[in-house]
Amino acid sequence: MSDAAQPTAAEVRAAAEAVKAALDRHLAAVENRSGEDDPAVYDAFNALATAAEAYDERLYDRYDEVTPFEIPGADDSLPPYAGPEEPNALSVLIRRDYAVVEPQRLLAQTQRIADLDRGAQELPGSAPVVGASVHAALGVLFGEYEPDEIASRHKEFGLEEGDSTLWVAAADELPEPGEWLSMPFDQADPQRVVCRFDVSSVFDEDDLGDFEETGDLEE
């Protein structure tokens, strides 16, 4: 950025004052919240995030310094909750990303699973069912174990964790059996998300993620 485009010292000071005012507003909203989904708390949180980001940018542009705090994902925060006050049902949406970093370990472990299953069923033949196919190995792995167990044992299977997220969305009623199986994630509505839990390498090393409720954020 050129010197002419840099913010002035007064603009940096004004941005700092805006952060102070946003902090006061957020604390007041939390102290006077009317319930778990109070929109005033949600609005105050977003205002604080915006003010903090603006101050951080101006501080860096003017003085080449940064703040010691970070609010990850502020631009992608959830919209105000618009679901039922008393949900009669809920949907839990989970995404976990993995990299296959040790394919030979994955193949060996899943071959062992397949051999044990074949032995338990007393089926004839000893030809490998996994072979050198990572595609087949993943099918065996996720067919044998629940996703939570794979998440806790991923290194054992030659996998490396990437980002993950869990959304809990409110619903008016439980869908009919088989109703959404063809497109399970097509109707995910951010305005019905009661809470979410994210894990990502973009967060500080000491953070395990952020837990965001509609109307509040707890880290």
Side-chain angles (χ1 to χ4, degrees):
M1 179 179 292
S2 66
D3 292 340
Q6 285 183 345
T8 65
E11 289 175 330
V12 178
R13 173 63 62 180
E17 294 300 326
V19 173
K20 298 175 186 178
L23 278 168
D24 289 338
R25 176 189 170 190
H26 183 260
L27 178 58
V30 171
E31 291 175 334
N32 298 285
R33 67 191 308 168
S34 60
E36 291 297 321
D37 300 324
D38 190 343
V41 177
Y42 177 85
D43 292 341
F45 169 81
N46 281 342
L48 176 57
T50 300
E53 184 178 8
Y55 171 61
D56 190 84
E57 290 178 355
R58 285 166 175 75
L59 186 71
Y60 181 80
D61 290 342
R62 178 69 185 182
Y63 300 110
D64 198 26
E65 292 289 343
V66 295
T67 57
F69 52 83
E70 181 181 3
I71 305 177
D75 292 339
D76 299 321
S77 57
L78 293 173
Y81 178 72
E85 289 295 327
E86 299 292 338
N88 296 317
L90 58 90
S91 295
V92 179
L93 309 176
I94 302 175
R95 172 173 173 167
R96 295 188 179 111
D97 288 352
Y98 297 97
V100 181
V101 293
E102 296 183 80
Q104 293 305 317
R105 176 183 290 271
L106 172 65
L107 293 169
Q109 292 287 60
T110 52
Q111 184 63 67
R112 186 175 298 112
I113 294 169
D115 290 342
L116 289 173
D117 287 346
R118 187 166 57 249
Q121 297 174 14
E122 297 182 347
L123 295 178
S126 58
V129 298
V130 175
S133 171
V134 171
H135 179 275
L138 292 173
V140 171
L141 178 63
F142 283 88
E144 179 71 17
Y145 297 110
E146 293 290 335
D148 286 345
E149 184 169 2
I150 295 174
S152 66
R153 300 172 58 185
H154 62 277
K155 292 183 179 179
E156 179 182 336
F157 303 116
L159 304 178
E160 181 180 280
E161 285 183 312
D163 289 355
S164 66
T165 188
L166 182 151
W167 292 22
V168 179
D172 297 309
E173 59 185 17
L174 201 64
E176 293 294 327
E179 181 178 329
W180 50 256
L181 290 180
S182 61
M183 303 183 70
F185 305 111
D186 186 54
Q187 297 180 351
D189 185 353
Q191 288 190 305
R192 283 180 168 255
V193 174
V194 178
C195 59
R196 62 179 290 178
F197 182 77
D198 300 320
V199 177
S200 174
S201 60
V202 302
F203 301 131
D204 293 338
E205 291 183 358
D206 293 336
D207 293 340
L208 294 180
D210 63 280
F211 182 83
E212 183 175 347
E213 291 188 34
T214 53
D216 198 7
L217 179 75
E218 299 176 2
E219 292 186 328

